[in-house]
Amino acid sequence: MFLTISTTGDEQHPATDLGFLLHKHPDNPFSTNVSYGQAHVLYPEADAERCTAALLLEVDAVALVRRGKGKGRGGAPNAALAQYVNDRPYAASSLLAVALSGVFSSAMRGVCNARPELPEQARPLRIEVPALPARGGPELVRRLFEPLGWTATVEPVALDSEFPQWGDSRYVRLVLESETLTVAEALRHLYVLLPVLDDAKHYWVASDEVDKLLRAGEGWLPAHPEQKLITSRYLARRWSLTREARERLELVRLAETDDSEVEEIDNAVEAESEAEEKPTPLAVQRREAILAALGASGAARVLDLGCGQGQLVQALLKDPRFTEIVGVDVSMRALTIASRRLKLDRMGERQASRVQLFQSSLAYTDNRLKGYDAAVLSEVIEHLDLPRLPALEYAVFGAARPRTVLVTTPNVEYNVRWESLPAGHVRHGDHRFEWTRAEFRTWAEAVAARYGYGVRFVPVGPDDPEVGPPTQMAVFDIGTAATKTGTAATKTGDEKEATAA
């Protein structure tokens, strides 16, 4: 099997710059051993006006059987003949993709020490693949390549030219042309999409394939319209790996939407330690207060928004009153730890049917959050910048609109009781603010009035007579007319007007 990469140029920008980019000199044919054969790089033409590099891969069919997955071309373990009589020596596949990454590794990374200005320059490119398996036909080939800036010419290959009535085979001849892409981008596109079109891999797909996919797909895969198909096929339809890849790609998309770095969003868990945190007495009291409030509300289907490492989800699972529990967090790292904590991979079918975890940002509406009895935001709002709170308010109270919403947040007045906390410091480095009891009450009452909820306030932890409790909790209920503090209800003039209206 082989492919060619061609470019054009002039005396000022010679086409032979392609040799610098590929790290292969046009005058010196290159050969190297690869896992299942031998790869050769040669230049059929190389001058200032036009330069073409050809990658020729000679496949050792016997080595492929002995050291490969031991399966026939179609994946049938007993297809003895198919192990030796197949299209692998001729049709572009994952074998060619692996050879590309091995022979042109520096070019794929965009590295050129001899001419560092070249890798970032877009140049006229023409790539030809004479025999490409295309499960999905020519239309799928176009859908995969054209959104990336390629003009794709796809010619179906007949099953037999002597018998045209037999129709076309699943192979095509592909020509890609572009004026706007770099050589590194072109190689990364081919590395991912060749095995995707073949819909097969010659080696076992392990967890490190997710990292390979994300590295090669950086800058183009998160926004590709066929991202789901690419991810699924590249990872050999392994569900767990596909889910992990999509979640990480969604995190990249959210970061790009927010014009921030992935690390800034995926920061719910300390990077230096993923060990299970030891619950403090206050954390235990907070969960007990939440469970009591949920029990009193009669909720059965509960959202834990900003679930972190899953401590509350774990506590909810122990109570049979809660028949459906959903943990939501923007941090993929936190969800991974939560999954480990809950032992989802070893959980019984009946218990597993009660719980699910998924990634979402509370700054955006999400239809998956609609229709639940209750939602909990435990120590969440203080991690958002104040200008972004209205977006969270609408996403939870306006769009998702559960019957009951519980919000807990630190009481900044209580900070003076923490001997280890320096004056003026917040309790966690990622807290964007910490409110007094009056500030929290003002915010909660405004949200309740705006979205048609009643709200009452419950202290969590020891209620200090001077500075109040360490944690404050607001309990929002649809249809509750009065605003309550603890167990005593009070009603403001604004609430009376809202009730009357």
Side-chain angles (χ1 to χ4, degrees), residues 224-233 242 246:
H224 198 292
E226 298 293 337
Q227 181 211 105
K228 290 184 178 179
L229 180 142
I230 293 170
T231 306
S232 177
R233 285 194 177 190
T242 302
R246 289 178 184 171

Side-chain angles (χ1 to χ4, degrees), residues 274-322:
E274 291 188 356
E276 179 176 328
E277 71 177 48
K278 297 179 180 179
T280 64
L282 178 58
V284 172
Q285 293 178 62
R286 186 185 302 123
R287 286 196 289 274
E288 290 175 347
I290 290 170
L291 291 169
L294 290 172
S297 73
R301 303 174 67 240
V302 179
L303 294 166
D304 183 8
L305 303 177
C307 66
Q309 300 180 49
Q311 291 95 331
L312 179 59
V313 172
Q314 187 176 46
L316 291 167
L317 271 172
K318 294 177 181 178
D319 193 326
R321 292 178 297 178
F322 306 116

Side-chain angles (χ1 to χ4, degrees), residues 84 87 98 112 124 154 161 191 194 211 234 290 295 312 375 383 411 440 470 495:
Y84 297 96
D87 63 357
V98 170
C112 182
V154 188
S161 58
Y191 176 75
L194 290 181
D211 294 326
Y234 185 87
I290 290 170
L312 179 59
H383 290 270
N411 167 24
F440 182 56
E495 288 169 333

Side-chain angles (χ1 to χ4, degrees), residues 59-66 71-73 79-90:
V59 175
D60 184 343
V62 175
L64 186 61
V65 172
R66 290 178 175 172
K71 294 187 177 182
R73 172 63 194 89
L81 182 61
Q83 292 179 340
Y84 297 96
V85 182
N86 54 57
D87 63 357
R88 298 299 85 180
Y90 316 107

